[in-house]
Amino acid sequence: MATADGSPVEVRRSARRTRTVAAFWEDGTAVVAIPARFTAAQEREWVQRMLAKLQKQGERRAASGRRRPATDEALAAHAAQLSAQYLGGRSRPASVRWVGNQNSRWGSATPADGTIRLSDKLRPMPQWVIDYVLLHELAHLLVASHNAAFWKLLEAYPETQRAKAFLEGVSYATSRGLQPPGLDQGDAGGSQAGTGQLPGDWFGDAD
């Protein structure tokens, strides 16, 4: 069994759970907790219902692009939430902060000291793009190189391919002096207004 985006699904029956059904993400797996007394038909019905609920919750989070972590403290707290949701809480950075001096990377991580830095250029972008870059760097604290084990860590995040394509589009546009589509003009989460001034040699992905 898998979700619509291919993530694994685990059904947990519990004799202690008698009147409620719950669904949540755990280490990249969609977990649906149901009463042990459920029939197979009830299990199928409620699993589908709760997976649909999880999907809607994810869509609402993806659409909430204006509720961005504006401060370094908020960014660090958000990183901890993403690590718990998609990486089983295994990636624990010592610090996470916004920086204004990264002109060739959307983000960077240093596994030796556990630090993560995200470029201010990301601030105007949709939250699901920022989350991808942040997860990318969190994954680098676990696997330093871009090998198969690294990309396996990002499979649980449903927006990985979409975010990579978005960043590649921004890089393509800015390298030709165009205004990248999909950025929120004047809404940079407390940073400078205006979003079309990205360097033309920016890569299409995090590092």
Side-chain angles (χ1 to χ4, degrees):
M1 186 183 301
T3 64
D5 57 27
S7 298
V9 176
E10 178 183 344
V11 179
R12 293 180 184 172
R13 288 177 172 265
S14 171
R16 302 175 65 179
R17 182 180 293 275
T18 59
R19 305 180 65 180
T20 61
V21 177
F24 52 91
W25 288 99
E26 183 178 277
D27 197 13
T29 297
V31 178
V32 181
I34 63 174
R37 61 179 175 80
F38 269 16
T39 65
Q42 287 175 313
E43 176 181 322
R44 287 193 298 271
E45 175 187 353
W46 278 99
V47 167
Q48 293 303 317
R49 185 180 297 185
M50 299 308 289
L51 290 180
K53 183 176 180 181
L54 279 180
Q55 182 177 355
K56 288 182 179 179
Q57 289 175 345
E59 291 172 351
R60 285 197 297 269
R61 285 194 296 269
S64 62
R66 295 184 183 275
R67 296 196 296 273
R68 300 182 178 94
T71 65
D72 290 348
E73 291 76 12
L75 189 63
H78 188 57
Q81 293 173 359
L82 290 175
S83 177
Q85 182 173 357
Y86 296 107
L87 301 173
R90 290 178 294 145
S91 183
R92 300 176 181 177
S95 69
V96 186
R97 58 193 178 92
W98 295 104
V99 296
N101 61 353
Q102 288 196 151
N103 293 321
S104 62
R105 298 176 180 177
W106 299 117
S108 60
T110 305
D113 59 13
T115 59
I116 290 176
R117 297 157 299 282
L118 295 193
S119 171
D120 277 343
K121 306 296 191 302
L122 286 166
R123 288 183 184 263
M125 297 186 187
Q127 186 61 47
W128 49 270
V129 176
I130 298 173
D131 285 358
Y132 161 71
V133 177
L134 190 48
L135 273 168
H136 189 113
E137 304 312 331
L138 285 166
H140 270 314
L141 296 185
L142 302 175
V143 180
S145 62
H146 289 112
N147 57 21
F150 171 84
W151 291 111
K152 184 71 175 177
L153 292 174
L154 293 178
E155 287 182 356
Y157 182 56
E159 303 293 346
T160 290
Q161 297 306 318
R162 183 183 177 204
K164 289 178 67 177
F166 182 97
L167 293 173
E168 288 168 0
V170 171
S171 294
Y172 180 90
T174 54
S175 69
R176 287 155 179 78
L178 305 175
Q179 168 61 43
L183 302 185
D184 296 333
Q185 292 283 0
D187 178 30
S191 183
Q192 66 269 24
T195 60
Q197 306 300 317
L198 304 185
D201 59 349
W202 272 57
F203 304 147
D205 202 355
D207 194 17

